[in-house]
Amino acid sequence: MAQAKPNSFRTGPDERGHFGKFGGRFVAETLMPLILELEKAWGVARKDPAFQAEMDYLFRDYVGRPSPLYFAPRLTEHFGGAKIYLKRDELNHTGAHKINNCIGQILLAKRMGKKRIIAETGAGQHGVATATVAALFNMPCVVYMGETDIERQKPNVFRMKLLGAEVRPVTSGSRTLKDAMNEALRDWVTNVEDTFYIIGTVAGPHPYPELVREFQSIIGREARVQMMEREGRLPDTLVACIGGGSNAMGLFHPFLDDESVRVIGVEAAGRGIETGFHAASLSAGRPGVLHGNRTYLLQDDDGQIAEAHSISAGLDYPGIGPEHAWLHDMGRVEYVSIRDDEALAAFQLCSKLEGIIPALEPSHALAHVAKIAPKLPRDHILLMNLCGRGDKDIFTVAAALGVTL
Amino acid sequence: MSGDRITTRFAKLNAEGRAAFVSFITAGDPDPTTSAAILAKLPAAGVDVIELGMPFSDPMADGPAIQAASLRAMKAGMTLKGTLALVRDFRKSDQDTPIVLMGYFNPIYIYGVDRFIQDALGAGVDGLIVVDLPPEEDDELCLPALKAGLSFIRLATPTTDDKRLPQVLKNTSGFVYYVSITGITGTRTGDTGAVSSAVARLKRHTQLPVVVGFGLKTADQIATVAESADGAVVGTAIVNKIAAGLDASGHATQTLTEQVVAFVRSLAEGVRRKPKGGNRAAAG
């Protein structure tokens, strides 16, 4: 498995959509012409200043970018080590980083003349962001969501409905994100002519992992500039949570060729890796093919996909973006995992110390920060992506803490 | 060469002047024993080519009926290894009926591509249809399978235009499977008029037999498709028949096999109604 260290970690994917052996285009023939059409449209759009200008405009005036880079004084003091900075993507319109990608993809959909939008969602953040841009661009929108997730993310389900989207409950399989993605793919295969599928993370068939990364990389590009202004140097460590891995890819990518920057992705260990109830595909999975790409997957010895488990619906996915799989094998990014209970503690800590209620997803990242920050020197700069806010999670957290609302 | 079984069968049917009846069932559905019993009876019921589904947890191109069949089979303990064993047992009593395995790539990838090809050949498998391996991923399985002597049957769809068709057909062998609708299995039935023009279009690009599937449910539909195509596939309707033969706890009732086989026999009649026209012989 030894692969030569590349000159750059930022050049992938190749023209066939591969990051090393990961990625690719493992889709049914019905979708293939569409994937190629998307690749072509994306290739033209990314070089078109008008496309970029429209995206910049919406990022600034609609999403509220740039998101602040915030020095977290009380968390820093509490941990007693590294200086903690938070990239405040939870302040974006719709409350998470997901909107960055949706803006980019709906602009692509518009360019391609598509009339109908579909999406899958786990926590509901991507569904809300998709419903939001669909409303803005006046396109009908169907969001597939697992029944289990609908139950634990009721506020977001209602938000999507307010925004005019139709939320279709998915009752197959584990009734979570993976099954919602299956169902969205089934819809797409059926409605290829007029429908654009806005995939929510850096996974799926090429060119999705690349284009989602590019749209999310605004996070890392901003953070880089902001950190230079603030500290006059690059951060020493980056930390972000990973389900499919879009917020992490967005933060990491602009820093991958800066050797001095340590990069850490945090997966969900659920009730603990050893219990089997987790969503840590890199820590406990192995390479396989699902949802259009080769990547690390939770699966059994027969190649059947296993169910993922996490208190956080947004991390509850048995796979991970193919670029993460490659960065893992190359050793450029360290991948660790955090349990439900550790994330819950971090959720409360951030709320009490900084007055910021984080989503359960970045609470995983913060829980890892809590582990490493105390041991780091005071001049060590640690940048964590606070990729979503926690309003949507208050019912889940209340239930976990035994509180009746 | 196992690929010969497919070629021989289509050549024989061509000489008889009729199209092939291709049936799909999922290996191990509803349980390995019942599945083996159904499989063994398919040729006598009029099935010319057998498509055998390899169960997968996430069948992205399949509708609810075939998803459920996969789950039943997996719940009953069916694996890829078990699927190959089913074929091996079938071959003890039938050396002529071609068997094509149909499914998704991940179980094969995890089994190990080279080992899978060898074991499939050893078991008596003739061809593969792997839904999520388009020509762009031919290195993964298609090319090594062809090299070893397994047919690799590709799906062509209404979205496969003339520009793309040569690429889709390039490494296809055995037959071409035309999916007559855009969509998942078993949900809609294609317009049979559109089918004949689509078959004619494919025939302009390939000498291989063209088999049509997705959405066929009755002998009448099969008869219509058989007028222009070299074969008609029925999957969901048969799988639904299996589901209908389960008791409240999901176990096969005593009459399930018999009912399914009788249904298959009634469908198979669709390809045997009238001899084909002269252009068929020319196409072969």
Side-chain angles (χ1 to χ4, degrees), chain A residues 97-105 126 198-200 212 215-216:
Chain A
H97 69 289
K98 292 290 186 186
I99 190 84
N100 304 332
N101 166 47
C102 290
I103 293 277
Q105 287 200 47
H126 174 59
I198 298 188
I199 291 184
V212 176
F215 296 145
Q216 291 295 1

Side-chain angles (χ1 to χ4, degrees), chain A residues 16 24-30 32-33 36 178 182 186 189-190 286-289 294 299 301-305, chain B residues 55-60 62 67 79-80 106 109-110 131-132 134 136-137 140 155 157 159-160 164 168 182-183:
Chain A
R16 294 172 64 201
R25 290 174 288 206
F26 296 88
V27 296
E29 173 57 27
T30 317
M32 206 51 226
L36 295 172
K178 132 181 124 71
N182 288 338
R186 289 182 185 118
V189 168
T190 310
R286 58 174 162 152
V289 172
R294 175 166 22 235
Q299 54 184 322
D301 291 341
D302 193 40
Q304 308 297 347
I305 308 305
Chain B
F56 184 48
S57 54
D58 294 76
M60 277 117 26
D62 286 301
Q67 287 178 51
T79 58
L80 186 49
N106 197 55
Y109 180 68
I110 294 304
V131 179
D132 53 356
E136 280 74 6
E137 303 292 350
E140 299 284 343
L155 306 181
T157 75
T159 60
T160 315
R164 183 168 168 77
V168 169
T182 59

Side-chain angles (χ1 to χ4, degrees), chain A residues 165-396:
Chain A
E166 182 195 340
V167 180
R168 286 197 193 154
V170 175
T171 55
S172 56
S174 58
R175 303 172 185 204
T176 59
L177 183 53
K178 132 181 124 71
D179 311 285
M181 200 151 179
N182 288 338
E183 225 37 60
L185 283 165
R186 289 182 185 118
D187 180 312
W188 203 23
V189 168
T190 310
N191 302 293
V192 271
E193 294 301 329
D194 68 338
T195 298
F196 190 99
Y197 179 14
I198 298 188
I199 291 184
T201 192
V202 285
H206 176 65
Y208 280 103
E210 179 187 42
L211 67 88
V212 176
R213 178 196 76 201
E214 288 303 305
F215 296 145
Q216 291 295 1
S217 288
I218 185 74
I219 300 171
R221 289 197 303 271
E222 284 177 5
R224 209 182 153 89
V225 172
Q226 290 166 323
M227 192 61 86
M228 290 306 288
E229 282 171 4
R230 187 70 185 257
E231 291 277 354
R233 68 179 184 89
L234 295 176
D236 298 299
T237 301
L238 304 176
V239 181
C241 65
I242 296 183
S246 70
N247 91 82
M249 228 34 255
L251 176 66
F252 297 169
H253 195 257
F255 293 96
L256 289 176
D257 285 338
D258 299 299
E259 281 185 32
S260 68
V261 181
R262 183 182 178 196
V263 186
I264 305 172
V266 184
E267 297 190 291
R271 288 179 231 162
I273 304 253
E274 69 289 350
T275 66
F277 293 92
H278 60 81
S281 26
L282 284 179
S283 309
R286 58 174 162 152
V289 172
L290 181 70
H291 294 154
N293 59 169
R294 175 166 22 235
T295 189
Y296 278 80
L297 299 170
L298 300 179
Q299 54 184 322
D300 68 14
D301 291 341
D302 193 40
Q304 308 297 347
I305 308 305
E307 291 180 16
H309 293 269
S310 170
I311 190 170
S312 148
L315 304 182
D316 204 342
Y317 181 68
I320 184 166
E323 193 166 8
H324 283 296
W326 178 71
L327 290 167
H328 170 266
D329 279 13
M330 298 304 295
R332 175 61 186 102
V333 178
E334 296 164 52
Y335 293 89
V336 298
S337 61
I338 284 292
R339 290 190 315 269
D340 290 347
D341 60 324
E342 296 169 315
L344 268 172
F347 179 96
Q348 297 169 81
L349 187 72
C350 189
S351 303
K352 281 178 184 149
L353 290 184
E354 295 290 348
I356 299 171
I357 300 177
L360 278 169
E361 291 80 12
S363 296
H364 285 72
L366 185 60
H368 188 69
V369 169
K371 282 186 181 174
I372 61 172
K375 294 173 234 160
L376 293 168
R378 286 178 186 274
D379 60 353
H380 188 102
I381 301 174
L382 194 155
L383 169 58
M384 186 201 112
N385 197 14
L386 187 54
C387 62
R389 66 173 183 234
D391 310 43
K392 69 180 175 64
D393 292 317
I394 56 172
F395 300 99
T396 306

